[in-house]
Amino acid sequence: MLRYKAYQFRLYPNQEQTILIAKTIGCSRFVFNHFLDLWNTTYAETGKGLSYNACSAMLPKMKREEETGWLKEVDSIALQSSLQHLADSFARFFRNQNDKPNFKSKNNPVQSYTTKNVNNSIEVKEKHVKLPKLGLVTFAKSRQPKGRILSATLRKNASGKYFVSLLCEEEIHEWPKAESVIGVDLGITDFAILSDGQKKDNDAFTSQMEKKLKREQRKLSRRALVAKKDGKELSQAKNYQKQKRKVARLHEKVANQRMDFLNRLSTELIKNHDVICIEDLNTKGLLRNHKLAKSISDVSWSSFVSKLQYKADWYGRDIIKVDRWFPSSKLCSTEGCGYKAPSMPLTVRDWVCPICHVHHDRDINASRNILIEGLRLHAMK
């Protein structure tokens, strides 16, 4: 079946290409903000917003005007894509799917623009990727994109690195049946506890880097104070900007490590099991617990579940979500027992069932109960 799949690569643009990327990002941001302001004004005056077609028709005129003639220097499709993003944001807002669109700032740590593939304007050629207006750009080709390239999103991170994401339409084939089912209990000390007794260690990437991050962030704060004392804008303070990029690179390294771990684990589970039963966690609610918020944010449960879901859709697997109120930790998972403990505080890591006298590891027992409940729900589908 045809699916959309994105391939991300690091770009190494030359100086001329770097300048043009910066111009395109700036022009795309200007178009987004200009029409967002016009949309808000029109709505306030008439009670109705604009449409993508109405805004798109105004762009050619803006390029001919003296004040905004510089818009024609960059990729026109990137400007149209910026308008499309604005229209999509308003459409989702009116469907109560997200908040009202906000103005984009040049101070955001990540800056990007999207362009579409028209008449093979985007192609992968050996060690280069061809992009509209930029021509051939050197990139780190870690794998070969498959299928038809639909669009490309160029991004500049806070670390100063450039990346391109190629969105492709390709044929995804379902994997053969594994004849196996698994229950997964997500935790903090151990990231994932499986019903077969395995525990997948949480590498706690942020906590490992915490001391170094604190040290570099203190340096950043001191350099901000020095710049303020010297009467300099932070954007003009070279030492501050240099340290800011260093801190951003550390955060980026942590994010990459976490993403690699989540991708490997989700692929392993999808590849080896036909049905994966998992608890439907209320991550947003749990993050309100200030004692656990940092740890929960570090382990990225929601990102992991999202990866499991889309890979299951691609490769013909089933994800069964068990209700968050299901007492997986309190129930005895021994077949034929089903004893439910009256309470189970987080400090209790193992317990003995008073009925069948089986010793339970709290987390493994919970994952087995999640599997049992998940298979029951699966049978009812």
Side-chain angles (χ1 to χ4, degrees):
M1 86 184 47
L2 286 175
R3 297 283 188 181
Y4 290 159
K5 187 174 181 179
Y7 294 85
Q8 180 176 272
F9 305 98
R10 184 170 176 189
L11 285 179
Y12 297 93
N14 58 35
Q15 187 175 4
E16 184 179 342
Q17 290 167 337
T18 300
I19 293 170
L20 187 53
I21 290 172
K23 282 184 178 180
T24 310
I25 289 172
C27 289
S28 297
R29 183 176 59 246
F30 171 82
V31 166
F32 185 95
N33 290 343
H34 174 80
F35 283 101
L36 174 56
D37 179 60
L38 189 60
W39 205 305
N40 290 338
T41 303
T42 305
Y43 185 81
E45 292 174 352
T46 65
K48 294 181 180 180
L50 298 173
S51 66
Y52 168 75
N53 291 333
C55 295
S56 180
M58 299 179 197
L59 263 180
K61 184 181 177 182
M62 289 177 65
K63 291 179 182 179
R64 292 193 296 268
E65 291 175 355
E66 186 176 348
E67 291 181 356
T68 52
W70 36 266
L71 288 173
K72 61 188 175 187
E73 296 178 16
V74 303
D75 179 17
S76 60
I77 298 175
L79 303 183
Q80 295 287 352
S81 296
S82 188
L83 267 183
Q84 187 66 62
H85 292 161
L86 176 62
D88 291 344
S89 295
F90 269 112
R92 289 193 298 272
F93 168 67
F94 289 121
R95 291 196 297 265
N96 296 319
Q97 293 177 340
N98 58 236
D99 295 332
K100 187 179 177 182
N102 293 320
F103 291 100
K104 293 188 176 182
S105 169
K106 64 179 181 181
N107 296 319
N108 285 342
V110 177
Q111 299 285 338
S112 67
Y113 74 87
T114 298
T115 185
K116 295 179 182 177
N117 187 10
V118 179
N119 297 326
N120 294 322
S121 59
I122 303 172
E123 287 183 287
V124 173
K125 296 185 175 182
E126 298 298 329
K127 296 180 180 180
H128 298 86
V129 56
K130 187 177 84 171
L131 296 165
K133 287 280 187 177
L134 295 172
L136 295 176
V137 186
T138 305
F139 79 124
K141 188 180 179 182
S142 54
R143 51 185 172 163
Q144 178 66 39
K146 300 175 184 177
R148 182 168 64 98
I149 298 175
L150 301 176
S151 65
T153 298
L154 277 78
R155 186 179 80 249
K156 181 186 179 184
N157 284 357
S159 61
K161 297 177 184 177
Y162 291 88
F163 293 89
V164 62
S165 292
L166 301 179
L167 181 65
C168 302
E169 184 182 53
E170 65 177 77
E171 188 73 28
I172 302 288
H173 300 283
E174 292 186 359
W175 283 340
K177 295 295 182 183
E179 306 300 334
S180 175
V181 296
I182 198 77
V184 182
D185 181 44
L186 298 178
I188 294 175
T189 304
D190 294 297
F191 177 79
I193 301 90
L194 310 184
S195 57
D196 60 6
Q198 292 187 69
K199 293 186 177 183
K200 300 296 182 180
D201 182 37
N202 169 27
D203 291 306
F205 305 110
T206 305
S207 60
Q208 288 180 7
M209 194 76 77
E210 193 166 21
K211 286 184 179 179
K212 192 170 185 179
L213 271 170
K214 281 183 177 179
R215 184 170 65 249
E216 298 303 330
Q217 284 171 332
R218 281 197 297 269
K219 286 184 184 178
L220 184 66
S221 297
R222 286 197 296 269
R223 292 186 181 184
L225 290 173
V226 170
K228 186 177 180 181
K229 186 178 178 181
D230 294 342
K232 292 182 181 178
E233 293 287 335
L234 292 181
S235 59
Q236 303 300 319
K238 291 184 178 180
N239 285 340
Y240 174 83
Q241 292 299 328
K242 183 178 178 181
Q243 184 62 24
K244 186 180 178 182
R245 285 192 295 272
K246 189 173 183 178
V247 171
R249 284 195 293 270
L250 289 175
H251 282 292
E252 190 177 88
K253 183 177 181 179
V254 170
N256 289 340
Q257 288 175 329
R258 183 188 294 116
M259 196 62 65
D260 180 65
F261 170 75
L262 297 179
N263 274 320
R264 287 175 184 272
L265 180 57
S266 57
T267 300
E268 178 189 334
L269 291 174
I270 293 293
K271 188 175 183 179
N272 296 322
H273 307 285
D274 299 321
V275 179
I276 300 168
C277 306
I278 195 164
E279 193 174 2
D280 186 16
L281 293 168
N282 178 18
T283 308
K284 286 186 178 179
L286 291 169
L287 287 172
R288 295 192 189 102
N289 184 332
H290 299 300
K291 293 182 179 179
L292 296 176
K294 188 175 180 182
S295 299
I296 292 170
S297 179
D298 188 20
V299 294
S300 302
W301 287 336
S302 57
S303 178
F304 174 68
V305 174
S306 296
K307 291 179 186 298
L308 274 180
Q309 190 64 66
Y310 85 74
K311 290 178 183 180
D313 293 339
W314 281 5
Y315 301 116
R317 304 308 200 217
D318 286 323
I319 301 293
I320 306 298
K321 292 184 179 180
V322 174
D323 189 273
R324 66 190 62 160
W325 302 113
F326 177 70
S328 57
S329 298
K330 295 180 181 181
L331 288 174
C332 174
S333 59
T334 306
E335 187 176 355
C337 181
Y339 168 77
K340 180 180 177 181
S343 64
M344 190 67 61
L346 284 172
T347 52
V348 177
R349 305 316 303 169
D350 55 0
W351 59 286
V352 176
C353 176
I355 305 299
C356 64
H357 307 293
V358 173
H359 179 271
H360 292 299
D361 176 290
R362 177 198 179 100
D363 297 325
I364 294 175
N365 177 66
S367 64
R368 288 173 179 164
N369 282 321
I370 288 170
L371 174 61
I372 294 167
E373 177 67 8
L375 292 178
R376 185 186 70 81
L377 296 172
H378 186 253
M380 294 169 61
K381 288 176 67 176

